[in-house]
Amino acid sequence: MIRSVLRGTGSALPRNCVTNAQLAERVDTSDDWIVERTGIRQRYIAGEGETTSSLAIEAARRALEAAGVEASEIGLIVLATATPDYTFPATATQVQQALGCRGGVAFDVQAVCSGFLYAMATADSLLRTGMAKKALVIGAETFSRILDWDDRTTCVLFGDGAGAVVLEAQDVAEDGPGILATRLHADGEHCDLLHVDGGPSSTGTVGKLRMKGREVFRHAVVNLAEVLREVLADVDMGIQAVDWVVPHQANARILDATARKLGLPAERVVVTVDQHANTSAASVPLALDVATRDGRIKPGDLVMFEAMGGGFTWGASLVRM
Ligand code: UT7
């Protein structure tokens, strides 16, 4: 059977690391509050010359190197972002140009924090139709540029970064590697709970992120536990078969609550929220790259990705490495 097989991962972070204590000099907050309520200790913030595309390009180069794949072999680039360099063209085409990939297909998808799951599902579908043989799937964000730095309820929660994977369509055995199952969801009913209050067609400005955190939290735990159960049912497996869960990194308490709901041991959850904060569409591939490079995730492991974000959008995907 033809499956999309994950060949390599890469990631990139801005140079500037900002601690909770540094933020406490700017807004009325404290390291204690941020650590206790979110698990976040620091985040990376893009400086001059660092953009969503520059981070995406760096992450993509590292993923290609890890996969041993040349840029010229890539026929499809799907990039998830809610913070593109420009309204258009798509950031994916900037990556394509910088890497020197000629031809093929390149576009962005926008599902905020679930963006990487949506991008991977899109690439997986296109690879399995034969539209391309090898794809780059990227999540890249510079949320620091849409934060209200006077709003302590949101500005302490986010960071910038990018993560990327190389997928290849391969003919594999039933128990072979690749994406085994994916479920995506959206529910526009709650779009006002997490949104940006501007855009090219409404205000003509970029706008700032606004969030009713407590309500988002409540929906996140319920939706994530449900979608994980759906994916496990699709492959007729229990949670104990999963070696690693690589979740969207929004809040350590959401990770703990979801794991508890599913009976998943905490030591099988990859946690990077303490180091990177919430990097939206970049958070899943960033965490995946960290846990792959430090040797935790190994070939043959069953890895579950999951995310939930503005819209709401949410989803999960089970991959054999
Ligand atoms: O990536 C997309 C998905 N996003 C998420 O999943 C985010 C989900 N939500 C969350 O992670 C949490 O709801 C937050 C971390 C945003 C907030 O934590 P919380 O435990 O839900 O706090 P809260 O909003 O109920 O606020 C508790 C108190 C409030 O003060 P009062 O009204 O009790 O006097 C806030 O004003 O904490 C106050 N507060 C702060 N205090 C110090 C809010 N932000 C801060 C802050 N520093 N940065």
Side-chain angles (χ1 to χ4, degrees):
M1 67 181 67
I2 302 295
R3 279 207 199 117
S4 304
V5 174
L6 216 149
R7 290 278 312 271
T9 67
S11 63
L13 290 164
R15 288 180 294 274
N16 185 27
C17 179
V18 176
T19 63
N20 293 343
Q22 285 171 290
L23 284 185
E25 290 167 14
R26 188 168 177 159
V27 286
D28 180 16
T29 189
S30 65
D31 181 49
D32 284 350
W33 190 95
I34 301 171
V35 172
E36 191 194 315
R37 300 292 180 119
T38 71
I40 297 165
R41 293 183 181 277
Q42 60 175 42
R43 73 284 295 137
Y44 292 82
I45 301 294
E48 211 180 317
E50 290 175 318
T51 61
T52 293
S53 72
S54 74
L55 294 167
I57 291 161
E58 203 177 322
R61 286 207 170 105
R62 290 186 181 146
L64 287 170
E65 196 182 300
V69 167
E70 295 295 328
S72 58
E73 297 172 60
I74 296 295
L76 170 66
I77 302 174
V78 187
L79 187 146
T81 190
T83 48
D85 287 21
Y86 303 105
T87 301
F88 75 82
T91 308
T93 61
Q94 293 176 266
V95 174
Q96 189 193 33
Q97 188 225 9
L99 296 179
C101 312
R102 279 292 164 90
V105 177
F107 60 95
D108 290 357
V109 301
Q110 211 274 58
V112 207
C113 298
S114 317
F116 183 76
L117 271 295
Y118 270 66
M120 202 167 73
T122 306
D124 179 33
S125 304
L126 294 176
L127 288 174
R128 284 189 289 120
T129 65
M131 180 177 262
K133 179 96 174 85
K134 291 183 186 131
L136 262 170
V137 183
I138 305 167
E141 302 275 19
T142 44
F143 259 47
S144 64
R145 306 236 156 99
I146 54 164
L147 292 177
D148 175 350
W149 286 99
D150 294 322
D151 175 10
R152 69 173 183 173
T153 69
T154 52
C155 77
V156 303
L157 303 174
F158 296 90
D160 302 332
V165 301
V166 175
L167 292 181
E168 179 176 13
Q170 289 182 4
D171 197 357
V172 297
E174 172 87 40
D175 62 353
I179 298 174
L180 306 184
T182 300
R183 289 281 188 128
L184 300 177
H185 292 284
D187 181 1
E189 200 58 41
H190 305 293
C191 55
D192 57 328
L193 295 182
L194 174 50
H195 71 288
V196 169
D197 61 6
S201 178
S202 55
T203 58
T205 60
V206 172
K208 299 286 182 216
L209 181 146
R210 307 290 172 205
M211 177 166 72
K212 295 200 169 69
R214 206 179 307 179
E215 288 166 68
V216 176
F217 189 111
R218 201 163 42 80
H219 285 279
V221 176
V222 173
N223 291 344
L224 288 171
E226 211 168 274
V227 75
L228 287 169
R229 286 199 189 105
E230 283 172 8
V231 170
L232 289 168
D234 286 345
V235 291
D236 200 18
M237 285 181 193
I239 192 72
Q240 51 303 335
V242 174
D243 295 296
W244 293 102
V245 174
V246 181
H248 170 51
Q249 311 282 325
N251 185 320
R253 284 159 52 220
I254 295 181
L255 307 186
D256 291 344
T258 311
R260 261 201 314 277
K261 231 172 151 56
L262 290 164
L264 174 75
E267 57 275 16
R268 281 197 265 147
V269 181
V270 176
V271 179
T272 56
V273 68
D274 55 329
Q275 299 297 305
H276 303 153
N278 181 347
T279 58
S280 182
S283 90
V284 168
L286 245 170
L288 171 68
D289 188 49
V290 167
T292 304
R293 283 175 196 262
D294 70 17
R296 273 180 286 174
I297 296 178
K298 297 184 186 64
D301 280 355
L302 264 181
V303 181
M304 181 77 89
F305 304 138
E306 50 99 318
M308 144 106 188
F312 292 136
T313 55
W314 67 102
S317 189
L318 185 67
V319 179
R320 191 175 287 116
M321 303 300 281

